[in-house]
Amino acid sequence: MFMRSTPFIPLAVFILTIALIGWGYIRSRKFGKLGLLSWLQFVALMSPWLVYFGLFVSGVFINFTTLLFLLLGSTIAYVSIGNQLRKVATAERAEIEQKLKRDLEASRDRANVPSDAGNNKSQSQPVNSPIAVAMSQGKTQLKLFKAMPPEDLKLIQGIFGIETYYLTETVPYQEGAIFKGNLRGEPDVVHDRLAGSLRDRLGDKYNLFLVEGQDRRPVVIVLPHRDIAVDNDTIPQRVLIAVLIFANAYTALSLGAQVAGIPTAQTAQDYLAGLPFALGIALILVVRELAMRFMANKYKVKLSMPFLLPSSQLGSFGAFSRIFSPLPSRLALFDIAIAPAVTSGLLSLIILITGLYLSAIGMGSVEIPSQIFQASVLAGTLAKLFLGDALHNNLISIHPLVILGWLGSAITALNLMPAGQLDGGRIVQSVYGRRVASWTTVLTLIFLVIATVINPLALYWGGIVLILLRDLERPMLNELSELDGDREALGVVALFWMVVTLLPLTSGVAERLGIGSGGGLIP
């Protein structure tokens, strides 16, 4: 009886989550304290949804406010465990480094030949010692490098040392080289020291990247420095940018005219009626762009000119700008990605709340079906707080600012989807790394394909992501240093904001909240 009345999908999600947690605990025990702390982080991240689905399959529905508190507690626990995890990892790494240093010194002592044995310089270090092997490899590999001058390679090899990065192998790569070895310190400190030494020896001729290799071990890559030309001043680029601006102005004005009560704008006066609404959309887009470029200038990162994406449903999908110069770190990528999301999200939320307040005091001028508020958990919940029982009616009068704030929130949320070079994709890459970001991009595209059954808008957006923005950002100069706990928490909150903005209310939940007359979503 219970199983028959239990929804299949929530039950399956609940069982799968329990299985993953159990499997993760078994796997984590072999890695000691670090493994258990990582497992606890996973539990903290999944616990709100585990509680939600567990209660749901038991027939208990918790409200949105309770879920928010669960998510807040989960985020605090996740960040706290992460800080403890970093402390334990740092302590263990220092212990390993000390052991390696002692072993190396002991190896050097054993390798020395007594002076009365008549040893010479070539005999003072046996050919099978680590240093001799590295030197012999370096001499052999010098002949293999054609793109990088041998004298430059020698100078670059000289920047490594036992206190920063112990070099074991040099491999030719494109016009530079990959230097394999052992990291001997915190990634940010080591990168700064190596980059400074490289700059002292060869100026700005090369860029030094500290990244994760295919075997998940730190590697150093040195490539010639290039100022990638920003080709937005060419005639084709200027024409394209102008066309996109014109297309966005047209879609924003057309949508503004619809909000003003003109179904199909035809005359100049019709478009003029939609100008205030179009200017509101333009304000949200300008705020996003200024915030991103402010952060880019802070980290001395070059961006392309913005390419606007027109949309007849939203007025605009926003704009995308490619990053042309090497990013210094994951911190820089995160700040550049989160700045437009926070600014446009907060601005849109203020506009939405202001519009709902004006609607509640009788200043609504646009009649819409109340069922429309079922299309978003965020909008529906806020509408219930301000409009209350008025949502029981089939039609409700709202202020145009409600539509503007809602569309601004949707634009922000779509750009926060964790895929490719969207804001959300950049946030995931900076917080969780390149491998996780690759998987979230694939999963997001799959989700958009499935969502086209409900809303054709998802197909258009998925096509934009797939064609223009599917690639992750290029390797950063320092890709190993992790973010601080505050930024990790902010990234989680931003992704949560995306979910509650785009996720629709089910008919059952909408009925409990009293939104609409009980029917489904308006197509």
Side-chain angles (χ1 to χ4, degrees):
M1 184 75 178
F2 172 76
M3 291 301 294
R4 245 180 264 155
S5 63
T6 300
F8 173 73
I9 293 179
L11 179 61
V13 171
F14 179 75
I15 294 174
L16 179 61
T17 305
I18 290 291
L20 283 173
I21 289 175
W23 177 75
Y25 174 73
I26 295 172
R27 289 288 306 272
S28 65
R29 287 189 303 175
K30 66 175 71 173
F31 298 103
K33 191 173 182 179
L34 283 175
L36 290 173
L37 284 172
S38 299
W39 175 76
L40 282 174
Q41 257 198 323
F42 175 73
V43 172
L45 194 63
M46 297 300 297
S47 57
W49 308 110
L50 188 63
V51 172
Y52 178 83
F53 283 111
L55 293 174
F56 187 77
V57 298
S58 302
V60 179
F61 177 77
I62 62 175
N63 58 36
F64 181 68
T65 304
T66 305
L67 181 59
L68 278 179
F69 277 107
L70 285 174
L71 289 167
L72 180 61
S74 169
T75 302
I76 294 172
Y78 179 87
V79 172
S80 300
I81 297 171
N83 291 333
Q84 184 64 27
L85 183 63
R86 274 188 286 272
K87 290 179 181 177
V88 173
T90 301
E92 290 194 4
R93 182 186 297 166
E95 184 178 346
I96 292 172
E97 288 173 359
Q98 288 296 326
K99 185 177 182 301
L100 286 173
K101 189 174 181 180
R102 289 195 299 268
D103 291 345
L104 182 60
E105 290 175 351
S107 175
R108 282 177 171 174
D109 292 339
R110 289 194 300 268
N112 287 332
V113 179
S115 57
D116 57 354
N119 60 314
N120 53 32
K121 185 176 181 181
S122 62
Q123 294 173 327
S124 63
Q125 190 165 271
V127 293
N128 61 348
S129 71
I131 299 176
V133 170
M135 290 178 62
S136 63
Q137 286 179 347
K139 292 176 182 177
T140 303
Q141 291 165 345
L142 279 176
K143 301 175 183 178
L144 301 177
F145 286 84
K146 295 180 180 179
M148 179 180 285
E151 57 274 15
D152 287 0
L153 181 60
K154 285 184 178 180
L155 289 172
I156 294 172
Q157 287 177 326
I159 69 175
F160 302 105
I162 190 172
E163 295 181 354
T164 54
Y165 186 85
Y166 181 64
L167 181 63
T168 59
E169 184 181 0
T170 305
V171 180
Y173 176 71
Q174 295 182 5
E175 298 178 38
I178 296 175
F179 300 92
K180 298 182 179 180
N182 300 313
L183 187 66
R184 299 295 180 85
E186 291 298 321
D188 50 349
V189 176
V190 170
H191 181 271
D192 290 345
R193 290 184 61 179
L194 293 180
S197 299
L198 179 63
R199 196 161 42 249
D200 292 340
R201 292 168 182 244
L202 293 166
D204 294 328
K205 188 175 180 180
Y206 295 96
N207 284 327
L208 186 143
F209 299 84
L210 180 59
V211 300
E212 186 181 77
Q214 293 182 348
D215 56 357
R216 299 197 177 187
R217 292 171 60 88
V219 297
V220 172
I221 302 176
V222 176
L223 294 173
H225 173 80
R226 279 198 192 90
D227 286 324
I228 302 175
V230 182
D231 297 326
N232 289 303
D233 288 333
T234 62
I235 293 179
Q237 291 284 355
R238 281 184 285 177
V239 170
L240 177 60
I241 291 173
V243 168
L244 290 176
I245 291 175
F246 177 79
N248 270 262
Y250 172 75
T251 55
L253 288 169
S254 299
L255 185 60
Q258 292 180 38
V259 173
I262 304 171
T264 304
Q266 296 179 344
T267 66
Q269 191 138 10
D270 293 340
Y271 287 110
L272 192 61
L275 182 60
F277 191 86
L279 290 176
I281 293 178
L283 174 64
I284 294 172
L285 298 181
V286 168
V287 165
R288 285 181 54 82
E289 196 65 26
L290 289 177
M292 182 172 63
R293 293 186 179 275
F294 173 81
M295 281 297 173
N297 290 334
K298 174 183 175 181
Y299 290 103
K300 300 179 181 179
V301 172
K302 295 181 181 178
L303 300 177
S304 70
M305 291 292 289
F307 292 84
L308 295 168
L309 301 173
S311 169
S312 58
Q313 297 94 335
L314 304 179
S316 176
F317 275 132
F320 74 91
S321 300
R322 296 196 181 277
I323 296 175
F324 278 134
S325 56
L327 285 158
S329 63
R330 288 161 66 170
L331 175 67
L333 178 62
F334 180 87
D335 286 353
I336 291 173
I338 201 68
V342 170
T343 51
S344 64
L346 288 176
L347 176 61
S348 300
L349 183 61
I350 292 171
I351 293 173
L352 176 59
I353 291 175
T354 303
L356 288 171
Y357 172 75
L358 294 175
S359 303
I361 62 175
M363 296 183 65
S365 59
V366 180
E367 279 200 345
I368 63 170
S370 58
Q371 292 175 359
I372 287 181
F373 285 104
Q374 296 179 18
S376 168
V377 172
L378 175 69
T381 305
L382 290 175
K384 179 63 179 177
L385 290 175
F386 282 91
L387 303 178
D389 293 337
L391 292 173
H392 287 290
N393 302 323
N394 288 331
L395 294 176
I396 187 170
S397 294
I398 61 170
H399 194 277
L401 287 180
V402 174
I403 301 175
L404 179 61
W406 192 348
L407 293 181
S409 299
I411 293 170
T412 303
L414 285 171
N415 282 276
L416 276 172
M417 296 188 77
Q421 296 180 29
L422 295 176
D423 295 340
R426 288 169 172 170
I427 288 171
V428 171
Q429 184 179 346
S430 60
V431 175
Y432 301 107
R434 187 172 296 273
R435 296 176 189 274
V436 175
S438 299
W439 279 106
T440 59
T441 298
V442 174
L443 293 175
T444 300
L445 290 172
I446 293 173
F447 169 78
L448 288 172
V449 170
I450 297 173
T452 56
V453 178
I454 302 173
N455 190 344
L457 179 68
L459 180 62
Y460 179 35
W461 188 242
I464 291 174
V465 174
L466 184 62
I467 296 171
L468 298 176
L469 305 170
R470 67 185 183 277
D471 295 329
L472 301 178
E473 291 300 338
R474 294 176 305 157
M476 287 153 268
L477 297 178
N478 175 13
E479 201 157 308
L480 299 184
S481 293
E482 298 180 352
L483 300 181
D484 55 82
D486 293 340
R487 282 182 169 83
E488 286 185 4
L490 183 58
V492 173
V493 170
L495 296 176
F496 173 71
W497 165 270
M498 178 268 299
V499 171
V500 297
T501 302
L502 299 181
L503 188 69
L505 291 167
T506 62
S507 57
V509 174
E511 186 176 352
R512 292 190 183 190
L513 292 176
I515 298 177
S517 57
L521 287 175
I522 298 297

